[in-house]
Amino acid sequence: MWSTPDAEAEWSRMGETFVDQRDTAIPARLDPTDPQFTALHTSATNALQQGGAQAELSLSPIDTDACQYGRDYRTGDTVTVTTTAGTDLTYPVREVHLTDTAETSTVQATVGTEAATQTPALYGQVRRLWQAVHKLNTRY
């Protein structure tokens, strides 16, 4: 069993998860020189990182006459956003939602860290399920 004592102390909680390692033999030694121990440690570390705290930043820039999506920047471009507090933040444009009706057209860009998205969490869950099935299929 591996844990992150700092996170447990910070959140005053302990979470558990099961990582399927049926393909890894029981380690003969509990030290990094044993390949089975190393495989278990790597899986545990990955599970702790995936389940750990996630920080994200998502900003929605407003198009003006001076700066507009499609003319001045596009998806994937790195842009600098100045917040109302006067702080400059530089991140890539992650996604853009375009809405066009008879009355108006709107552009809503998402700028931020890799985790920043307006896309439903369902896509992340599907991605995790695909990875789990892929691991099971390629195990042997």
Side-chain angles (χ1 to χ4, degrees), residues 2 4 15-21 40-54 135:
W2 280 270
T4 52
E16 292 183 1
T17 187
F18 175 77
V19 178
D20 186 358
Q21 285 296 125
L40 292 173
H41 184 264
T42 301
S43 293
T45 301
N46 290 341
L48 288 170
Q49 287 175 346
Q50 286 179 347
Q54 303 288 322
K135 280 183 185 178

Side-chain angles (χ1 to χ4, degrees), residues 69 72-79 90-96 109-112:
Y69 175 77
D72 300 307
Y73 68 96
R74 290 178 170 65
T75 307
D77 288 352
T78 300
V79 297
T90 303
Y91 289 102
V93 178
R94 296 287 173 188
E95 59 187 39
V96 176
T110 300
V111 177

Side-chain angles (χ1 to χ4, degrees), residues 29-47:
R29 297 176 311 280
L30 297 179
D31 64 58
T33 61
D34 188 311
Q36 284 82 15
F37 177 83
T38 303
L40 292 173
H41 184 264
T42 301
S43 293
T45 301
N46 290 341

Side-chain angles (χ1 to χ4, degrees), residues 44-91:
T45 301
N46 290 341
L48 288 170
Q49 287 175 346
Q50 286 179 347
Q54 303 288 322
E56 70 179 59
L57 171 69
S58 178
L59 305 167
S60 296
I62 300 169
D63 279 358
T64 64
D65 290 337
C67 185
Q68 293 182 357
Y69 175 77
R71 184 187 73 194
D72 300 307
Y73 68 96
R74 290 178 170 65
T75 307
D77 288 352
T78 300
V79 297
T80 300
V81 178
T82 303
T83 65
T84 54
T87 305
D88 287 344
L89 303 170
T90 303
Y91 289 102

